[in-house]
Each structure stands twice: as C-alpha cells, then as structure tokens.
Amino acid sequence: MTVHVVNHTHWDREWYRPMESFRARLAELVARVCAQLDAGELGRFHLDGQTITALDALEIRPDLAGRVRAHAAAGRIQVGPWHVLADNQLVSGENLIRNLLTARRVAADLGLELAPIGYCPDAFGHPADLPRVLRGFGLDTALVWRGAPPAYPRFTWRSPDGSSVTAVNQGYYEPEVLWEAASAADRLATFRDKQAGRDADGPYLLLNGGDHLAPRPLPAGLADGAARESTLAEYFAAIRGAVPADAVVDGELRYPGDWLTFVLAGTLSTRLYLKQANAATETLLESWAEPLTVRAGRGEAVGLLRHAWDLLLRNAPHDSICGCSVDEVHRENEVRFDRARQAGEHLVERALLDLGLDTRLAGEPVTDAAALVVVNPHAAPAAGPVTVDVYTAPGHTVGGLVDAAGVPVPYELVETEPTPLFCADLDILPDTRDTLRHRIAFVADPPAGGWTGYTATVVPGEAAIPDAGTSGRTVTRGDWTLTVAEDASFTLVDAASGRTLPGLGRLVDSGDAGDTYTYDPPRLDEAASPVLRDARVYDSEVASRIVARAELTVPAGLTADRTARSVERVTIPLTVTATVWAGARELDWRVEFDNTADDHRLQAHFPTDVAATSWRADTHFSLLDRPLKPALGPLPEQRGYEADAGVAPVRSLALLPGLAVLAPGLPEVQGITGERPSLAVTVLRAVGWLSRPDLRARTAGAGPQLPTPEAQCRRRISAAVGVRLADDEASVTAAAARRRAPLRAWQLRPGTPTPAPAGGLRVDGALVSAYKPAEDGTGAVLRLVNPTSAEVVATVAGVPGALVECDLAERPLGAGPMGDRVPLGPYATRSFRVGA
C-alpha cells in the first residue's frame, strides 16, 4: 500500500506562454532543483520525459551543466526517454523513432542517462503502435493517462504486431496533494483511499508536481512507510509482477475518460494548417531527403538532416502540433516548419546534383528544348500525375513533350506567365533572366526508387493559352462517369461494377461553440451546404475534371451568449475540383476557399453504398478497426467529463466496405452511422478560445481561458482527398503511400541532356517506412512495413550489400546477413542495417 512519490515537473515547452517565456522559467526551475538536491531537500527529481528540457535550460544557463551532470550521474536527476513529449497520434511513426534517436544523441552530448521508462503522461490519447516503438528501443513499460481504460490501473498493452509493454494508468495527476505541508498528511490519506478504490493491492504512484511547477520536498513525517521518495523505474519494478493476466488491452488508447481525464479529440482538427505543414515536412524528410542522401552517399549532409529533424521535432509537442496554445506559439510553429522545409529542400537539391541531376536553372533560358526529370520516391513503380514549371526564353512556348525514348507524351498546359528567374549558388554568379514560365501537367511512369527523363520541345511563338474548359456538369473517363450536383458534391458511376455513389465530397458546415481542445455544437445549431453556381468540364488525354464554383452561406459566428449561430450571414465562395487522371481509378477531390466566418466546422462526407458497422484507418504502421458512431456521443451531466466526439486520428487512409478515402494531412476523420455509412473528413475547424469552462461536450476547462483569434483560421483553406472504389488492404495502403509522397518533377539546367531512366531501391510485397543514414554514420537503415492483416514476403533489391537485422535503435539483433526475401507477419515492421 506504499505510495511511491516521484518529484517531477511537467514542462510544456510552449503553451499559454511562448517558448522563450517558458524557457526563462525553466532555467530558474533547474537552478532551484540543483540547489535542493545539493542541500538534500530533494532526493531525486524527474525533469519530465524529454531531453529538450535540459537542453533548453543549459543553453541559457551553461553554468549549471556540471551540476546537472553530477546529479544525473548519481541518479538524482532523471530525463527522457524522449527528446520532446510529442502528441504521438499526430506525428508519423518515423517521427516518433527520430524523437527517441535524438534523445539518445542529446543525452550523450549532455552527459545524461535516460530513464528506462516509456514516459507518455499527457498525450491526448495513445496510438496502437506505441508499444512496438517502445520495445524497439528496449523499453518494456509505458506510463499513460488520457485515453487509457479507466477500469485498469495497470495492464499489458499490446500493439497489432504483438509487441507488448507493461502499462500504468496514472489517473488524473494531483499536484496539490503535497503542495502544503500542513495539509499533506490528510490529502495523502485521501489520495491513497481513492487509489485503493481503483486498485486494492497497491503500491500507488503519486507524481509530486504539475505543469510548470517547481518541486516541493516531501513533508517531514510522511516517509514512514506510507509514502517514500521514489523513481518511475523503482515504481515499475515494484508492480511488474502484479499485472493481472486478464488485464490486456489491444490497440489504441482512446477510451472515454474518468474524472478530468479528457482525450480532447478536437485537437485533431484545431488549426489544421499545422497538421498539413507537419505531414508535408515529414514526407519531405522521410521520403525524399533521407533516401536521396543515402543514394548520393552524402555523409557530410547528416548534420543538416539532423537539424531539419530537430526543427520538426520541436513542433511535435501536444500543445504545439495540436494547435491548443496562444497564437504567438503557432506563429513560431509555422516559422519552424518553413525552416525545416528549407533545409529539406536543400538536401534534395544537393543529392540530386551529386547524382547528376542539376535542377539549378542558371544560364540562358532555353529556346529549343528543356530537359525534365521525374523522380519516384517509392521502392515500387508509381505511375501518376506530375506538374512542372518549364522556363523558356521570352517569345517561346512549349510545343510538345516526349519521353526518354522519344515517344510523344500527352500534357496539359495549366498556366503561363512572364517570370523573372533568379539563380545563384556557390559556383554560380547571381543573375536574373527574363523568362516565360509554362506550368504543364502529365502522367509519368518512372522506375522504382529512381527517375526518368522527358524533353519539352520549345518553339518560337506566342505563349499558348490554357484550356478554358466548357460549361457542363458531367464527364466520362473509361468506366467512370462523374457528375456534379446542386450542392457541389459528386456522383460517381462505375459502369464496370454497376455501382453508383452519390454525395461524394458533400460539404456540411455546422456551428462550433467549443475551444481549441473540444468541438462543441451550440444548443441551437444549424447546418449548411454549398450551392452550385457554375461548373466547367475539362477533358484531355491527360485527365478529365470538373471545376465547380459554389457558394457556402453560413452564420458569421455565434450569438453573444454562444448558444446559437448568429443571424448575420457571410457567403464564402468555394472552388471544388474533381479529377480523374489517365490510367488511374482514383478520384482526386479538392476544395479551396478563403474562410471569412468564425466558430464553425466544415466536413467533407464520403458515403459508401455498402452496409457497414465499422470502419478502418491507418495508424503509424497498422490498419485499425473502429466502430461507426453518431456524430457526437451523449453529453456529460457531471462536472469534469467529456462526450465522445466520435472523431479519430488517421494518418492518411480511411476505409468503409467498397470505399477508400486517402487524406494525408487531414488527420480528423469520423465514421458515421446512417442509411449510407459515411466517412466525414474535417477540412476546417474555427474557434476563438484556448479553453472555455462553459461547454456542453466537456464540463470543465482544459487550460487557461485565453482568446485565440487566429485559431478562427481566417486564411486560405485548401484540402485534398483521394477516393478509390476498393478496400483491399494491399492496394489501398500502397495508394495511400503514393498519395502521401507523390512523384516530383524538375526542369534541369539549360544545356543538360535528358537523363535516361535509372532505377534504385526496389521492394516488392511491402512498404518502405525509412531508408536513412545510420545514426552511427556507418551505412544506412532500411525499414520495411506490412500494414495489412496478411502475412507477406518482401523482396528487396538495389541496396548496397547484405541486410543485417537491427532494432529501431539501430542495434544489430545478432543474426547474420540474410538474403533478399524478408518474411513479414501481419502488421509487422523489420529494420535492417545495409552497407555497413
């Protein structure tokens, strides 16, 4: 029945104050902790679960470094195992792995030891694949809270691949228990009685501290067996053998919470522009910068690659990527994303240059031909559309397009305009040339892991005029006929299967009286959908599309008492585009608009024509089943609870029977019951408060009541979704990977010959999650993923040397080199060192 008291602080790097404001206080806290440890007032202290707390503090107080190292070496200060405490649902699996790898590197640089505990105390739910990530770093425990099943104080938590950890549900942490010495004994007794109601046997865990709080010593007289200073490692050692055999939880932890244990599902869609920027930057680093750096053998680029990841990781904490901080924080987030992308694009440019593909457009603008290259980031063939800018001399235009064998290739002219073209580099004098920029689109088919060349012929003459389309509402391509409806949704008829799916992309706008944490429909809500104003049809050898111009008239905001949507209306012009590219059985749906209304949520609905009771979605490395639910669960009647929001995190793929929705960068999806089961993808959620205490869907505040006007997202909104009339796991997971990282094309430097096709890494039967430089600087790491429920055998070609299996921490597992055939069980991942 002993209470293990772990002195700690939970340090949100940025939240209701910007980062530098919090960092100044963090340095003061670290100095105070060192003094308390020096004086013996504290025995041990947990400096949160992230090495960045130590890094941030010591950057501005380097005089504390020696004291921190000494206390850490003596076991008095614990840090880690993470570099940052990420919202581990909104970042990729590779992001989580880089997080743990970075923590090891930072801890070594600072001379600190990492705590051997999977410390995840305040994430807004926990993904199904987290046990496998922890086990890949030798961690067999997890401290969790939000989303953990209230019935189990401790349990075995299992990932879809079978990896498991011993998990402890800390319950709501209570920093006030030992805050005042005079009341500490009584509060401790109350705390222990409450814990006994959850767990009759003990021992119990009390995290002594809270958000941004300095530690207070254990009051005298309490360390009599009822409570003792401890560490998380000691607590887990005490309960390791006391987990009931039947207390096993599979998959994600998003269970309805106990008192004040909010999952805060609205953060999946708050400031969606942050989620889109994160997804784009992860893709740039994972699918482009890392593999190209490996292929080019650019060992000197590892420092810049790590810097780009460090910038991205600093946006991963839950108060950052979740959008639930003050506006100043998220302005800084956008700058970090920009900086990470700048570094990533430089890495891509330099790797391509080393591979003989010079994308720097210096010199005289072309007058006869422009060499183009299309690069495939996937380890499998990936035919698909690309868009590229071709810069010609003034008075010239694109006259044709041929592939590397000289065969004509159909293309579309998207736009053309005069563009001053500036180029400069270490070996290129700064220069600006007058050019005409011609944006063209075509369907390319480069080999796996490589590239192929195309030549745009350039001829004298006036610039061609892009196709203006024709008035119309229906287009047919192959077996598919697409028609736009009066509400700007689309009906898809597939002649091959006889299926008809109306209402694809139906936009539904509703009120939102919530805050950055929680969607909360007003008591008197009203829904709105667009009205079609005009539609034009474009049909070419390259693609068939309908561009719909529509208007969405919605309330301007809420009434003064926030119980209803306002009488005042605003009309938002929308452009909704549906495209079917040549050779593809996938609908490319897109919407763009400028948001001019407040306090509302806009979702795009994609219904199926097949009965269903559940839907599926991808998480980091696996597909998960989830039940279809009402749009919002029953509203709580007691203080301190929240309603089931119905939405769930999706990496890039959601499935109903006969229907796949591919939506990278749009992580909030809802599987909705009804006459026709539907997947609702959130494309905008606009709110104006960090937290409010007066919600119906959550009956207590989740943070300070501060205005966040920029969370209303008065900005350009753009969202894209792919739709496939299929649900077989292998094809749709591969399609989702291609949509996350589409082909890219560049014009090569004038005078450069058109490159011949060149292949690279090829993997058949599985997906590649990572192909990156090894952390120790020797060779590379290749990670294979089978996200499906079927066992597969992957075949690997195009790597420099044998495959030697390793764990996620990149430590060899002891087996010798293996051949090119790699068995992968259901939902499995396997990692290998290559070229070592």
Side-chain angles (χ1 to χ4, degrees), residues 85-155:
L85 288 178
D87 181 279
N88 46 38
Q89 300 170 115
L90 285 170
V91 301
S92 69
E94 292 300 326
N95 191 307
L96 293 177
I97 292 168
R98 299 309 183 285
N99 194 339
L100 290 165
L101 289 171
T102 301
R104 278 146 180 73
R105 187 170 64 250
V106 170
D109 291 344
L110 295 178
L112 305 177
E113 293 289 330
L114 292 176
I117 301 299
Y119 183 71
C120 309
D122 200 28
F124 302 158
H126 306 277
D129 284 313
L130 190 57
R132 109 168 58 202
V133 172
L134 295 173
R135 289 305 296 257
F137 284 82
L139 302 170
D140 62 356
T141 57
L143 180 67
V144 295
W145 173 32
R146 302 181 190 272
Y152 294 138
R154 46 185 177 263
F155 55 95

Coordinates of all heavy atoms in Angstrom, one line a residue, residues 85-155:
L85 N 8.1 15.6 -25.7 CA 6.9 14.9 -25.4 C 5.9 15.2 -26.5 O 5.1 16.2 -26.4 CB 6.3 15.2 -24.0 CG 7.1 14.7 -22.8 CD1 6.5 15.1 -21.5 CD2 7.2 13.2 -22.9
A86 N 5.9 14.4 -27.5 CA 5.0 14.6 -28.7 C 3.6 14.2 -28.5 O 3.3 13.4 -27.7 CB 5.6 13.9 -29.9
D87 N 2.7 14.9 -29.3 CA 1.4 14.3 -29.4 C 1.6 13.1 -30.4 O 1.8 13.3 -31.6 CB 0.4 15.2 -30.0 CG -1.0 14.6 -30.2 OD1 -1.2 13.8 -31.2 OD2 -1.8 14.8 -29.3
N88 N 1.7 11.9 -29.8 CA 2.1 10.7 -30.6 C 1.1 10.2 -31.6 O 1.4 9.2 -32.2 CB 2.7 9.6 -29.7 CG 1.9 9.3 -28.5 OD1 0.6 9.3 -28.6 ND2 2.5 9.1 -27.4
Q89 N -0.1 10.8 -31.7 CA -1.1 10.4 -32.7 C -0.9 11.2 -34.0 O -1.3 10.8 -35.0 CB -2.5 10.6 -32.1 CG -2.8 9.7 -30.9 CD -4.1 10.1 -30.3 OE1 -5.0 9.3 -30.2 NE2 -4.2 11.3 -29.8
L90 N -0.5 12.5 -33.9 CA -0.5 13.4 -35.0 C 0.8 13.4 -35.7 O 0.9 14.1 -36.8 CB -0.8 14.8 -34.5 CG -2.3 15.1 -34.2 CD1 -2.5 16.4 -33.5 CD2 -3.2 15.0 -35.4
V91 N 1.8 12.7 -35.2 CA 3.1 12.6 -36.0 C 3.2 11.2 -36.5 O 2.6 10.3 -36.0 CB 4.3 13.0 -35.1 CG1 4.1 14.4 -34.5 CG2 4.4 12.0 -33.9
S92 N 4.1 11.0 -37.4 CA 4.3 9.7 -38.1 C 5.1 8.8 -37.1 O 5.7 9.2 -36.2 CB 5.1 9.8 -39.4 OG 6.4 10.2 -39.1
G93 N 5.1 7.5 -37.5 CA 5.9 6.5 -36.7 C 7.3 6.8 -36.8 O 8.1 6.7 -35.8
E94 N 7.8 7.3 -38.0 CA 9.2 7.6 -38.1 C 9.5 8.9 -37.3 O 10.7 9.0 -36.8 CB 9.5 7.9 -39.6 CG 9.5 6.6 -40.5 CD 10.5 5.5 -40.0 OE1 11.6 5.9 -39.5 OE2 10.1 4.3 -40.1
N95 N 8.6 9.8 -37.2 CA 8.8 10.9 -36.3 C 9.1 10.5 -34.9 O 10.0 11.0 -34.2 CB 7.6 11.9 -36.4 CG 7.8 13.2 -35.7 OD1 8.2 13.3 -34.6 ND2 7.5 14.3 -36.5
L96 N 8.3 9.5 -34.4 CA 8.5 9.0 -33.0 C 9.8 8.3 -32.9 O 10.5 8.5 -31.9 CB 7.4 8.0 -32.7 CG 6.0 8.6 -32.5 CD1 5.0 7.5 -32.2 CD2 5.9 9.6 -31.4
I97 N 10.2 7.6 -33.9 CA 11.5 6.9 -33.9 C 12.7 7.9 -33.9 O 13.6 7.8 -33.1 CB 11.6 5.9 -35.1 CG1 10.7 4.8 -34.9 CG2 13.1 5.4 -35.2 CD1 10.5 3.9 -36.1
R98 N 12.6 9.0 -34.7 CA 13.6 10.0 -34.7 C 13.6 10.8 -33.3 O 14.7 11.2 -32.9 CB 13.3 11.1 -35.8 CG 13.3 10.6 -37.2 CD 14.6 9.7 -37.6 NE 14.5 9.4 -39.0 CZ 13.6 8.4 -39.5 NH1 12.8 7.8 -38.6 NH2 13.6 8.1 -40.7
N99 N 12.5 10.9 -32.7 CA 12.4 11.5 -31.4 C 13.2 10.7 -30.4 O 14.0 11.3 -29.6 CB 10.9 11.5 -31.0 CG 10.6 12.4 -29.8 OD1 11.5 12.7 -29.0 ND2 9.3 12.7 -29.6
L100 N 13.1 9.4 -30.4 CA 13.8 8.6 -29.4 C 15.3 8.5 -29.8 O 16.2 8.5 -28.9 CB 13.2 7.2 -29.3 CG 11.9 7.1 -28.6 CD1 11.2 5.8 -28.9 CD2 12.0 7.3 -27.1
L101 N 15.6 8.5 -31.1 CA 17.0 8.5 -31.5 C 17.7 9.8 -31.1 O 18.8 9.9 -30.6 CB 17.1 8.3 -33.0 CG 16.8 6.9 -33.5 CD1 16.7 6.9 -35.1 CD2 17.8 5.9 -33.1
T102 N 17.0 10.9 -31.3 CA 17.5 12.2 -31.0 C 17.8 12.3 -29.5 O 18.8 12.9 -29.0 CB 16.6 13.4 -31.4 OG1 16.4 13.3 -32.8 CG2 17.1 14.7 -31.1
A103 N 16.9 11.8 -28.7 CA 17.1 11.8 -27.2 C 18.3 11.1 -26.8 O 19.1 11.6 -25.9 CB 15.9 11.2 -26.5
R104 N 18.6 10.0 -27.4 CA 19.9 9.3 -27.1 C 21.1 10.1 -27.5 O 22.1 10.2 -26.7 CB 19.9 8.0 -27.8 CG 19.1 6.9 -27.0 CD 18.4 5.9 -27.9 NE 17.7 5.0 -27.1 CZ 16.6 5.3 -26.4 NH1 16.0 6.5 -26.5 NH2 16.0 4.4 -25.6
R105 N 21.0 10.8 -28.6 CA 22.2 11.6 -29.0 C 22.3 12.8 -28.1 O 23.5 13.2 -27.7 CB 22.0 12.1 -30.5 CG 23.2 12.8 -31.1 CD 23.0 12.9 -32.6 NE 21.9 13.8 -32.9 CZ 20.8 13.4 -33.5 NH1 20.6 12.1 -33.8 NH2 19.8 14.2 -33.8
V106 N 21.2 13.5 -27.8 CA 21.3 14.7 -26.9 C 21.8 14.3 -25.5 O 22.6 15.0 -24.9 CB 19.9 15.4 -26.9 CG1 19.9 16.5 -25.8 CG2 19.6 16.0 -28.3
A107 N 21.2 13.2 -25.0 CA 21.6 12.8 -23.7 C 23.1 12.5 -23.6 O 23.8 12.9 -22.6 CB 20.8 11.6 -23.2
A108 N 23.6 11.9 -24.6 CA 25.1 11.6 -24.7 C 25.9 12.9 -24.7 O 26.9 13.0 -24.1 CB 25.4 10.7 -25.9
D109 N 25.4 13.8 -25.5 CA 26.1 15.1 -25.6 C 26.1 15.9 -24.3 O 27.1 16.6 -24.0 CB 25.5 16.0 -26.7 CG 25.7 15.5 -28.1 OD1 26.6 14.6 -28.3 OD2 25.0 15.9 -29.0
L110 N 25.0 15.8 -23.5 CA 24.9 16.5 -22.3 C 25.5 15.7 -21.1 O 25.6 16.2 -20.0 CB 23.5 16.8 -22.0 CG 22.8 17.8 -22.9 CD1 21.3 18.0 -22.6 CD2 23.5 19.2 -22.9
G111 N 25.9 14.4 -21.4 CA 26.4 13.6 -20.3 C 25.3 13.1 -19.3 O 25.5 13.0 -18.1
L112 N 24.1 12.9 -19.9 CA 23.0 12.4 -19.0 C 22.6 11.0 -19.4 O 22.8 10.5 -20.5 CB 21.8 13.3 -19.3 CG 22.0 14.8 -19.1 CD1 20.7 15.6 -19.4 CD2 22.4 15.1 -17.6
E113 N 22.0 10.3 -18.4 CA 21.5 9.0 -18.6 C 20.0 9.1 -18.8 O 19.3 9.9 -18.1 CB 21.7 8.1 -17.4 CG 23.2 7.7 -17.2 CD 23.7 6.8 -18.2 OE1 22.9 6.0 -18.7 OE2 24.9 6.9 -18.5
L114 N 19.4 8.3 -19.7 CA 18.0 8.3 -20.0 C 17.2 7.4 -19.0 O 17.7 6.3 -18.7 CB 17.7 7.9 -21.4 CG 18.2 8.9 -22.5 CD1 17.9 8.3 -23.9 CD2 17.5 10.2 -22.4
A115 N 16.1 7.8 -18.5 CA 15.2 7.0 -17.7 C 14.7 5.8 -18.6 O 14.3 6.0 -19.7 CB 14.1 7.8 -17.2
P116 N 14.8 4.6 -18.0 CA 14.4 3.4 -18.8 C 12.9 3.2 -18.8 O 12.5 2.0 -18.7 CB 15.2 2.3 -18.2 CG 15.2 2.7 -16.7 CD 15.3 4.2 -16.7
I117 N 12.1 4.2 -18.9 CA 10.6 4.1 -18.8 C 10.0 4.8 -20.0 O 10.4 5.9 -20.4 CB 10.1 4.8 -17.5 CG1 10.8 4.1 -16.3 CG2 8.6 4.7 -17.4 CD1 10.4 2.7 -16.1
G118 N 9.0 4.1 -20.6 CA 8.2 4.7 -21.6 C 7.2 5.8 -21.1 O 6.1 5.5 -20.8
Y119 N 7.7 7.0 -20.9 CA 7.0 8.0 -20.2 C 6.2 8.9 -21.2 O 6.7 9.6 -22.0 CB 8.1 8.9 -19.5 CG 7.5 10.0 -18.6 CD1 6.9 9.7 -17.4 CD2 7.6 11.4 -19.0 CE1 6.4 10.7 -16.6 CE2 7.2 12.4 -18.2 CZ 6.6 12.1 -17.0 OH 6.1 13.1 -16.2
C120 N 4.9 8.7 -21.1 CA 4.0 9.4 -22.1 C 2.8 10.0 -21.3 O 1.6 9.6 -21.5 CB 3.5 8.4 -23.1 SG 4.8 7.5 -23.9
P121 N 3.0 10.9 -20.4 CA 1.9 11.2 -19.4 C 0.8 12.0 -19.9 O -0.3 11.9 -19.4 CB 2.7 11.9 -18.3 CG 3.8 12.6 -19.0 CD 4.2 11.7 -20.1
D122 N 1.0 12.9 -20.8 CA -0.1 13.9 -21.1 C -0.5 14.0 -22.5 O -1.1 14.9 -22.9 CB 0.4 15.3 -20.6 CG -0.8 16.2 -20.4 OD1 -1.9 15.7 -20.1 OD2 -0.6 17.4 -20.5
A123 N -0.1 13.0 -23.4 CA -0.6 13.0 -24.7 C -2.1 12.8 -24.8 O -2.7 12.1 -23.9 CB 0.1 11.9 -25.5
F124 N -2.7 13.3 -25.8 CA -4.2 13.3 -25.9 C -4.7 12.0 -26.5 O -5.3 12.0 -27.6 CB -4.7 14.5 -26.6 CG -4.3 15.8 -26.0 CD1 -4.2 17.0 -26.8 CD2 -3.9 15.9 -24.7 CE1 -3.8 18.2 -26.3 CE2 -3.5 17.1 -24.2 CZ -3.4 18.3 -25.0
G125 N -4.4 10.9 -25.9 CA -4.6 9.6 -26.4 C -3.3 9.0 -26.9 O -2.3 9.7 -27.0
H126 N -3.3 7.7 -27.1 CA -2.1 6.9 -27.4 C -2.3 6.0 -28.6 O -3.3 5.2 -28.6 CB -1.6 6.2 -26.2 CG -1.4 7.0 -25.0 ND1 -0.3 7.8 -24.7 CD2 -2.3 7.3 -23.9 CE1 -0.5 8.4 -23.6 NE2 -1.6 8.1 -23.1
P127 N -1.4 6.0 -29.6 CA -1.6 5.2 -30.8 C -1.3 3.7 -30.5 O -0.6 3.3 -29.6 CB -0.6 5.8 -31.8 CG 0.5 6.3 -30.9 CD -0.2 6.8 -29.7
A128 N -2.0 2.9 -31.4 CA -1.8 1.4 -31.2 C -0.4 0.9 -31.3 O 0.0 -0.1 -30.7 CB -2.7 0.7 -32.2
D129 N 0.4 1.6 -32.1 CA 1.7 1.1 -32.4 C 2.8 1.6 -31.4 O 4.0 1.3 -31.6 CB 2.2 1.5 -33.8 CG 1.5 0.6 -34.9 OD1 1.5 -0.6 -34.7 OD2 1.0 1.2 -35.9
L130 N 2.4 2.3 -30.4 CA 3.4 2.8 -29.5 C 4.1 1.7 -28.7 O 5.3 1.8 -28.5 CB 2.7 3.8 -28.5 CG 3.7 4.6 -27.6 CD1 4.7 5.4 -28.4 CD2 3.0 5.6 -26.7
P131 N 3.5 0.6 -28.3 CA 4.2 -0.4 -27.6 C 5.4 -1.0 -28.5 O 6.5 -1.2 -28.1 CB 3.2 -1.5 -27.3 CG 1.9 -0.7 -27.1 CD 2.0 0.4 -28.1
R132 N 5.1 -1.1 -29.8 CA 6.1 -1.6 -30.7 C 7.3 -0.6 -30.8 O 8.5 -1.0 -30.9 CB 5.6 -2.0 -32.1 CG 6.0 -1.0 -33.2 CD 5.7 -1.5 -34.6 NE 4.3 -1.7 -34.8 CZ 3.8 -2.5 -35.8 NH1 4.7 -3.1 -36.6 NH2 2.6 -2.7 -36.0
V133 N 7.0 0.7 -30.8 CA 8.1 1.7 -30.9 C 8.9 1.6 -29.6 O 10.1 1.6 -29.7 CB 7.5 3.1 -31.1 CG1 8.5 4.1 -31.0 CG2 6.8 3.2 -32.5
L134 N 8.2 1.6 -28.5 CA 9.0 1.5 -27.2 C 9.9 0.2 -27.1 O 11.0 0.3 -26.8 CB 8.0 1.6 -26.0 CG 7.2 2.9 -25.9 CD1 6.2 2.8 -24.8 CD2 8.2 4.0 -25.6
R135 N 9.3 -0.9 -27.5 CA 10.0 -2.1 -27.4 C 11.2 -2.1 -28.4 O 12.3 -2.7 -28.1 CB 9.2 -3.3 -27.8 CG 8.1 -3.7 -26.7 CD 8.8 -3.9 -25.3 NE 9.7 -5.0 -25.2 CZ 9.4 -6.2 -24.7 NH1 8.2 -6.4 -24.1 NH2 10.2 -7.1 -24.6
G136 N 11.1 -1.4 -29.5 CA 12.2 -1.3 -30.4 C 13.4 -0.6 -29.9 O 14.5 -0.6 -30.4
F137 N 13.2 0.2 -28.8 CA 14.3 0.8 -28.1 C 14.6 0.2 -26.7 O 15.2 0.8 -25.9 CB 13.9 2.3 -27.9 CG 14.1 3.1 -29.2 CD1 13.1 3.1 -30.1 CD2 15.2 3.8 -29.4 CE1 13.2 3.8 -31.3 CE2 15.4 4.5 -30.6 CZ 14.4 4.5 -31.6
G138 N 14.1 -1.0 -26.5 CA 14.4 -1.7 -25.3 C 13.6 -1.3 -24.1 O 14.0 -1.6 -23.0
L139 N 12.5 -0.6 -24.3 CA 11.6 -0.1 -23.3 C 10.4 -1.0 -23.2 O 9.7 -1.2 -24.2 CB 11.2 1.3 -23.5 CG 12.3 2.4 -23.7 CD1 11.8 3.7 -24.2 CD2 13.1 2.5 -22.4
D140 N 10.2 -1.6 -22.0 CA 9.1 -2.5 -21.9 C 8.0 -2.0 -20.9 O 7.2 -2.8 -20.4 CB 9.6 -3.9 -21.4 CG 10.2 -3.9 -20.1 OD1 10.4 -2.8 -19.5 OD2 10.6 -5.0 -19.6
T141 N 8.0 -0.7 -20.7 CA 7.0 -0.1 -19.8 C 6.4 1.1 -20.5 O 7.0 1.7 -21.4 CB 7.6 0.3 -18.5 OG1 8.7 1.2 -18.7 CG2 8.1 -0.9 -17.7
A142 N 5.2 1.6 -20.0 CA 4.6 2.8 -20.5 C 3.8 3.4 -19.4 O 2.9 2.7 -18.8 CB 3.8 2.5 -21.8
L143 N 4.0 4.7 -19.1 CA 3.2 5.4 -18.2 C 2.2 6.3 -19.1 O 2.7 7.1 -19.8 CB 4.0 6.3 -17.3 CG 3.2 7.2 -16.3 CD1 2.6 6.3 -15.3 CD2 4.1 8.2 -15.6
V144 N 0.9 6.0 -18.9 CA 0.0 6.6 -19.8 C -1.1 7.2 -18.9 O -1.2 7.0 -17.7 CB -0.7 5.6 -20.8 CG1 0.4 5.2 -21.8 CG2 -1.3 4.4 -20.1
W145 N -2.0 8.0 -19.5 CA -3.1 8.6 -18.8 C -4.3 8.8 -19.7 O -5.2 7.9 -19.7 CB -2.6 9.9 -18.1 CG -3.7 10.7 -17.5 CD1 -4.9 10.2 -16.9 CD2 -3.8 12.1 -17.4 NE1 -5.6 11.2 -16.4 CE2 -5.0 12.4 -16.7 CE3 -3.0 13.2 -17.8 CZ2 -5.5 13.7 -16.4 CZ3 -3.4 14.5 -17.6 CH2 -4.6 14.8 -16.9
R146 N -4.3 9.9 -20.4 CA -5.5 10.2 -21.3 C -5.8 9.0 -22.3 O -4.9 8.6 -23.0 CB -5.3 11.5 -22.0 CG -5.0 12.7 -21.1 CD -4.9 13.9 -22.0 NE -4.4 15.1 -21.3 CZ -5.2 15.9 -20.6 NH1 -6.5 15.8 -20.6 NH2 -4.7 17.0 -20.0
G147 N -7.0 8.6 -22.3 CA -7.4 7.5 -23.2 C -7.2 6.1 -22.7 O -7.6 5.2 -23.3
A148 N -6.4 6.0 -21.6 CA -6.3 4.6 -21.0 C -7.6 4.1 -20.4 O -8.4 4.9 -19.9 CB -5.2 4.6 -20.0
P149 N -7.9 2.8 -20.5 CA -9.1 2.3 -20.0 C -9.2 2.5 -18.5 O -8.4 2.1 -17.7 CB -9.1 0.8 -20.3 CG -7.7 0.5 -20.5 CD -7.0 1.8 -21.1
P150 N -10.2 3.3 -18.0 CA -10.3 3.6 -16.5 C -10.4 2.3 -15.6 O -10.0 2.4 -14.5 CB -11.6 4.4 -16.4 CG -11.8 4.9 -17.8 CD -11.3 3.9 -18.7
A151 N -10.9 1.2 -16.2 CA -11.0 0.0 -15.4 C -9.7 -0.6 -14.9 O -9.6 -1.4 -14.0 CB -11.8 -1.0 -16.1
Y152 N -8.6 -0.3 -15.6 CA -7.3 -0.9 -15.3 C -6.3 0.1 -14.8 O -5.9 1.0 -15.6 CB -6.7 -1.5 -16.6 CG -7.5 -2.7 -17.2 CD1 -7.7 -2.8 -18.5 CD2 -8.1 -3.7 -16.3 CE1 -8.5 -3.9 -19.1 CE2 -8.8 -4.7 -16.8 CZ -9.0 -4.8 -18.2 OH -9.7 -5.9 -18.7
P153 N -5.9 0.0 -13.6 CA -4.8 0.9 -13.1 C -3.5 0.5 -13.7 O -2.6 1.3 -13.9 CB -4.8 0.6 -11.6 CG -5.4 -0.7 -11.4 CD -6.4 -0.9 -12.5
R154 N -3.3 -0.8 -14.1 CA -2.1 -1.3 -14.8 C -2.6 -2.5 -15.6 O -3.5 -3.2 -15.3 CB -1.0 -1.7 -13.8 CG -1.4 -2.5 -12.6 CD -0.2 -2.7 -11.7 NE -0.6 -3.5 -10.5 CZ -0.8 -2.9 -9.3 NH1 -0.8 -1.6 -9.2 NH2 -1.1 -3.7 -8.3
F155 N -1.9 -2.6 -16.8 CA -2.3 -3.6 -17.7 C -1.2 -3.9 -18.7 O -0.2 -3.2 -18.8 CB -3.6 -3.1 -18.5 CG -3.4 -1.8 -19.2 CD1 -3.1 -1.7 -20.5 CD2 -3.7 -0.6 -18.5 CE1 -2.9 -0.5 -21.1 CE2 -3.5 0.6 -19.1 CZ -3.2 0.7 -20.4

